[in-house]
Amino acid sequence: MAARSLRHAALFCAAALSLSLVADPTPAQIVVYDPTNFSQNVLTAARELQQVNNQVQSLANEAQMLTNQARNLASLPLSTLNQLQTTIQKTQSLLAQAQHIAFDVQQIESAFSTTYGSASSSGSSSALFATAQTRWRNSVAAFEDSLKVQAGVVGNISSNGSAMSSLTSASQTATGALQAAQAGNQLLALQSQQLSDLVAVVAAKSRADALEQSRLTATESQGQEQYRRFSTRSGYQPGNVTMFHGN
């Protein structure tokens, strides 16, 4: 309907122009209006505008995708790794301070081949007494070392609790996948540090218990040797002894 009206308007304009040309002999430029061509041009412009809109939307989607990628790749602003490493180093330092017999296979082998072995039948009594004193000092030192390690681990509880609270908060407020993963990894590192503290306590306590049990075993062997020497001493005759005489 609109196209037909436009066509009628065009014919009317053309007729008016023809009359004016006849009345006025002066040459003039004739403007020809083609409604069909005009409609096609409008449709073409509309299609091009839609394509531009589609391109704009595509660019906006790509920009949002890049924003999301940047958010997912953003690093966690919090790091407790240095704190955990410092805590582990403190515990390792306490273990390294083990007195007399350290956590060393060669030292242990050497001590058990001499100090904790069977009592020598050729050594002097003073040598037996000195060896017994050495074993006693080793046991006391081992228990002291164990208490130091336990105290150090207990001291780590406060800092570990603070680190756990910070990491949990950072994990819950993470803006991207990388931040969440890094928070989770640091929580796992904290758990590993706590397990290492537990291993240190068990190792120190087990060392003290093992040395004390070895001391008792070696003392029994030494007691048997001392009794043998006493019973085989020249001039000794075992017999009955009366402590008190009745009236």
Side-chain angles (χ1 to χ4, degrees):
M1 186 70 181
R4 183 178 301 173
S5 299
L6 291 174
R7 188 176 296 108
H8 289 166
L11 293 175
F12 178 77
C13 291
L17 288 174
S18 299
L19 292 175
S20 63
L21 289 175
V22 171
D24 187 6
T26 304
Q29 184 178 3
I30 300 176
V31 178
V32 179
Y33 173 76
D34 188 351
T36 303
N37 187 37
F38 177 78
S39 300
Q40 292 178 349
N41 291 337
V42 170
L43 292 176
T44 301
R47 293 191 187 97
E48 291 179 352
L49 179 61
Q50 185 62 38
Q51 291 179 354
V52 171
N53 289 335
N54 293 338
Q55 292 177 352
V56 170
Q57 185 61 41
S58 177
L59 291 175
N61 294 336
E62 291 181 2
Q64 184 62 40
M65 181 180 64
L66 293 175
T67 301
N68 294 335
Q69 289 179 352
R71 184 182 297 112
N72 287 329
L73 295 176
S75 298
L76 189 71
L78 172 67
S79 176
T80 61
L81 295 181
N82 291 334
Q83 178 182 346
L84 296 179
Q85 291 175 350
T86 300
T87 303
I88 292 175
Q89 290 173 358
K90 289 180 180 179
T91 303
Q92 290 176 338
S93 177
L94 289 173
L95 292 175
Q97 295 174 14
Q99 306 173 65
H100 303 302
I101 301 177
F103 292 94
D104 183 80
V105 175
Q106 293 181 349
Q107 288 192 27
I108 294 172
E109 290 178 346
S110 175
F112 274 78
S113 65
T114 55
T115 308
Y116 291 90
S118 300
S120 175
S121 58
S122 59
S124 62
S125 297
S126 60
L128 292 177
F129 177 77
T131 302
Q133 285 289 100
T134 299
R135 290 193 295 265
W136 177 82
R137 286 193 295 270
N138 289 344
S139 292
V140 172
F143 282 117
E144 180 184 356
D145 294 336
S146 177
L147 292 174
K148 288 181 179 179
V149 173
Q150 293 176 29
V153 170
V154 170
N156 293 338
I157 294 177
S158 176
S159 61
N160 288 343
S162 176
M164 181 177 298
S165 177
S166 299
L167 289 174
T168 302
S169 177
S171 176
Q172 292 176 347
T173 58
T175 60
L178 180 59
Q179 288 188 359
Q182 289 178 336
N185 291 337
Q186 291 190 48
L187 284 171
L188 291 175
L190 175 60
Q191 185 179 19
S192 299
Q193 182 271 322
Q194 293 173 330
L195 289 176
S196 67
D197 273 357
L198 178 61
V199 170
V201 170
V202 172
K205 181 63 168 58
S206 299
R207 170 177 175 268
D209 292 341
L211 288 176
E212 177 61 13
Q213 187 61 43
S214 300
R215 184 187 72 82
L216 295 176
T217 303
T219 299
E220 182 179 353
S221 174
Q222 180 174 329
Q224 293 175 355
E225 174 60 23
Q226 288 177 326
Y227 176 76
R228 185 193 66 79
R229 294 184 184 186
F230 180 75
S231 62
T232 58
R233 187 175 57 181
S234 59
Y236 170 76
Q237 295 295 331
N240 295 327
V241 177
T242 301
M243 298 289 294
F244 302 97
H245 294 281
N247 294 329

